[in-house]
């Protein structure tokens, strides 16, 4: 049996409807209660409403992505105990509705980072791109973060300085929009429409992390896990932390889920089967230091959710999102490892046997250009990727028989 085929759906306002998703052969939905402000309890009624809607279309609500962790928990504000308590109440309510797989991340302030959402590989499609120099432009010359000058190689700073000088104001606004508005607003990040205002909110949040290094953020994650994992265990829930995207330190912020050692640390911090991982092949592959084949094998028994995609690394730390079967992530080996792990779970008749996977992101192509889908989440691009991966999966399964 294949991995559970899932699809990220953004709720009522998603232009891709549940009835469309069903036609793709999807079994499970990955979604969140995006309308509930971060930190508030997800009530039984709200969860049930979405669950029933999904089931009416012949699928199940397989994974919550994300049950967002409030910034105050991440930087360890006094209110964190109350926020953690709220979090556990949401978990209990989800479990009562039969939803047991929860994806979350512990990236401070900013989630996935790209500098260009319209990069054009030669074939006429569009992919997302991370340009190191552009990112330093944002950090050093738009946010004007003083310490940035010492955190990057001199050569990059110089390139960023001349790039900034040559940028039109429209290009500057576009860069802000891409980094902190368009890519963040529709998930769980700060949601504002005005770039100037976004920069101000953003700077305020950066301030909160002054003095918190990786060690400090680890302590705060451990504190959170100690509060949450016992409740997850008692309710048959699997918590799946999402890696940092890209997997490196950014904007002087601590980032602690970027490498094999980091993940090992998270899993050991509270050593419970309820404390698991979202294996995001795309995020991890953007770090030249990550050996994904080794990591997927090493962590297989704690992986409860997979994001399948790949990146191509270029010079200077630049990268773009490659086709799903191209680039640095060896999807063949990753998929095979997860299929073998799932088989083991099924033979052991353990709960949560099937591993949900979704294709993550997709190239914009064909009719995607006429619809304003969320960045990274076009219909046709994801459909193509899903078909490729499903075909590969059948091949692997037949070979394993
Ligand atoms: C972007 C996604 C992330 C991811 C969250 C999980 O497309 O990969 O936003 O959903 O970080 O918490």
């Amino acid at each position: 049996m294949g991995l559970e085929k899932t699809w990220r759906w953004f709720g009522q306002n998603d232009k891709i409807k549940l009835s469309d998703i069903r036609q793709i052969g999807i079994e499970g939905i990955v979604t969140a209660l995006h309308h509930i402000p971060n930190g508030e309890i997800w009530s039984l009624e709200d969860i049930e409403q979405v669950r029933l809607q999904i089931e009416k279309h012949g699928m199940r609500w397989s994974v919550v992505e994300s049950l967002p962790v409030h910034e105050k928990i991440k930087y360890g504000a006094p209110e964190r105990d109350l926020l953690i308590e709220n979090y556990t109440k949401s978990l209990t309510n989800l479990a009562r509705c039969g939803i047991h797989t929860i994806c979350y991340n512990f990236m401070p302030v900013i989630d996935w980072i790209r500098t260009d959402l319209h990069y054009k590989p030669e074939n006429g499609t569009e992919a997302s791109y991370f340009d190191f120099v552009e990112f330093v432009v944002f950090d050093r010359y738009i946010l004007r973060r003083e310490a940035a000058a010492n955190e990057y190689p001199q050569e990059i700073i110089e390139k960023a300085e001349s790039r900034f000088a040559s940028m039109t104001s429209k290009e500057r606004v576009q860069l802000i929009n891409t980094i902190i508005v368009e890519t963040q607003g529709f998930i769980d990040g700060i949601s504002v429409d005005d770039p100037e205002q976004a920069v101000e909110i953003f700077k305020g949040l950066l301030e909160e992390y002054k003095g918190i290094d990786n060690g400090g953020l680890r302590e705060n994650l451990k504190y959170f896990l100690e509060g949450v994992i016992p409740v997850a265990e008692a309710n048959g829930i699997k918590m799946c932390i999402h890696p940092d995207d890209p997997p490196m330190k950014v904007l002087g912020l601590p980032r602690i889920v970027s490498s094999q050692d980091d993940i090992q640390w998270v899993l050991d911090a509270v050593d419970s089967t309820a404390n698991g991982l979202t294996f995001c092949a795309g995020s991890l592959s953007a770090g030249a230091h990550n050996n994904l084949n080794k990591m997927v094998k090493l962590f297989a028994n704690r992986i409860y959710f997979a994001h399948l995609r790949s990146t191509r690394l270029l010079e200077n730390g630049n990268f773009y999102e490659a086709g799903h079967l191209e680039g640095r992530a060896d999807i063949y080996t990753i998929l095979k490892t997860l299929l073998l792990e799932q088989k083991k779970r099924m033979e052991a008749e353990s709960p949560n046997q099937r591993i949900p996977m979704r294709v993550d992101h997709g190239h914009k192509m064909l009719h995607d250009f006429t619809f304003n889908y969320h960045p990274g989440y076009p219909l046709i691009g994801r459909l193509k990727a899903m078909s490729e991966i499903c075909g590969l999966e059948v091949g692997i399964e037949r070979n394993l028989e």
Side-chain angles (χ1 to χ4, degrees):
M1 187 181 280
L3 303 184
E4 187 187 10
K5 295 175 184 51
T6 67
W7 185 273
R8 193 174 197 180
W9 176 65
F10 294 99
Q12 291 294 22
N13 299 330
D14 196 324
K15 295 198 179 81
I16 305 167
K17 302 291 162 209
L18 288 169
S19 52
D20 302 332
I21 298 172
R22 180 77 170 125
Q23 291 182 37
I24 301 170
I26 295 299
E27 300 165 276
I29 291 296
V30 174
T31 194
L33 301 183
H34 292 282
H35 60 282
I36 298 187
N38 191 345
E40 287 182 17
I41 300 168
W42 289 14
S43 73
L44 273 177
E45 300 71 49
D46 282 331
I47 300 166
E48 271 300 271
Q49 204 186 355
V50 174
R51 180 181 74 85
L52 290 172
Q53 200 187 353
I54 294 170
E55 288 180 1
K56 210 168 73 193
H57 288 87
M59 296 173 287
R60 71 176 196 112
W61 184 351
S62 306
V63 181
V64 171
E65 180 174 354
S66 305
L67 183 55
V69 179
H70 201 279
E71 288 297 319
K72 287 184 194 290
I73 297 178
K74 295 182 197 165
Y75 62 77
E79 302 92 320
R80 70 174 159 176
D81 290 322
L82 177 67
L83 289 161
I84 292 174
E85 200 184 311
N86 285 357
Y87 200 97
T88 58
K89 285 184 183 151
S90 298
L91 287 183
T92 316
N93 288 344
L94 284 161
R96 282 174 66 187
C97 298
I99 302 153
H100 293 103
T101 307
I102 314 296
C103 172
Y104 70 102
N105 73 72
F106 218 76
M107 289 177 255
V109 187
I110 186 163
D111 196 299
W112 64 307
I113 306 174
R114 300 292 183 274
T115 56
D116 180 8
L117 297 170
H118 305 285
Y119 170 70
K120 294 183 179 47
E122 309 84 72
N123 61 5
T125 61
E126 268 183 21
S128 78
Y129 193 97
F130 179 87
D131 183 292
F132 198 35
V133 170
E134 295 264 321
F135 186 64
V136 176
V137 166
F138 171 76
D139 188 2
R140 180 69 189 98
Y141 299 102
I142 293 176
L143 293 181
R144 295 168 201 265
R145 200 173 58 83
E146 298 278 327
N150 310 315
E151 288 170 13
Y152 302 106
Q154 190 53 32
E155 180 199 307
I156 297 282
I157 294 281
E158 279 162 21
K159 282 188 183 159
E161 188 178 0
S162 66
R163 172 75 189 114
F164 180 65
S166 72
M167 272 172 126
T168 62
S169 64
K170 203 173 152 211
E171 282 172 330
R172 289 177 192 175
V173 168
Q174 182 56 49
L175 186 62
I176 300 172
N177 241 321
T178 303
I179 299 179
I180 55 177
V181 181
E182 283 183 77
T183 45
Q184 309 297 309
F186 73 97
I187 44 170
D188 313 303
I190 41 173
S191 172
V192 272
D193 296 325
D194 169 18
E196 302 292 328
Q197 191 196 355
V199 168
E200 287 317 306
I201 297 177
F202 196 82
K203 281 181 163 172
L205 280 170
L206 288 184
E207 278 298 304
E208 303 287 2
Y209 287 86
K210 277 254 159 74
I212 303 181
D213 58 6
N214 277 8
L217 190 65
R218 277 185 170 180
E219 267 171 41
N220 294 346
L221 172 56
K222 187 156 193 244
Y223 190 92
F224 167 73
L225 289 173
E226 280 167 351
V228 159
I229 294 297
V231 179
E233 267 174 6
N235 286 280
I237 280 181
K238 303 292 186 202
M239 294 294 295
C240 314
I241 198 162
H242 187 286
D244 305 328
D245 182 6
M248 60 180 208
K249 212 170 154 45
V250 292
L251 308 172
L253 291 164
R255 293 254 244 185
I256 54 171
V257 196
S258 293
S259 65
Q260 180 179 313
D261 288 351
D262 283 349
I263 294 172
Q264 191 65 62
W265 183 90
V266 175
L267 300 181
D268 292 345
V270 174
D271 191 12
S272 155
T273 54
N275 180 19
L277 174 68
T278 296
F279 193 84
C280 179
S283 305
L284 293 169
S285 71
H289 55 280
N290 286 327
N291 177 339
L292 272 68
N293 288 355
K294 193 168 157 213
M295 290 164 87
V296 72
K297 286 176 191 153
L298 185 65
F299 300 128
N301 67 350
R302 297 279 279 273
I303 295 172
Y304 304 115
F305 182 32
H307 283 181
L308 299 182
R309 74 178 162 86
S310 185
T311 58
R312 195 175 293 285
L313 298 191
L314 307 167
E315 282 171 24
N316 275 346
N318 296 358
F319 67 86
Y320 68 91
E321 294 197 9
H324 286 65
L325 300 184
E326 294 157 10
R328 248 197 116 230
D330 171 7
I331 298 295
Y332 168 80
T333 302
I334 293 167
L335 198 52
K336 186 171 169 189
T337 308
L338 295 176
L339 281 165
L340 288 169
E341 172 62 26
Q342 177 176 276
K343 194 158 168 265
K344 219 189 300 171
R345 290 181 198 175
M346 293 181 100
E347 280 161 8
E349 292 182 16
S350 49
N352 304 81
Q353 294 169 340
R354 283 187 83 198
I355 303 175
M357 73 85 177
R358 67 173 180 83
V359 297
D360 195 17
H361 303 175
H363 288 183
K364 209 168 172 183
M365 58 177 66
L366 306 165
H367 112 149
D368 294 334
F369 287 102
T370 49
F371 287 81
N372 199 16
Y373 296 125
H374 291 305
Y377 291 88
L379 173 61
I380 306 292
R382 279 192 288 164
L383 176 56
K384 172 175 182 271
M386 195 67 182
S387 312
E388 290 173 336
I389 285 174
C390 290
L392 175 62
E393 186 181 55
V394 171
I396 297 173
E397 283 192 283
R398 291 292 288 271
N399 233 283
L400 289 176
E401 269 167 19

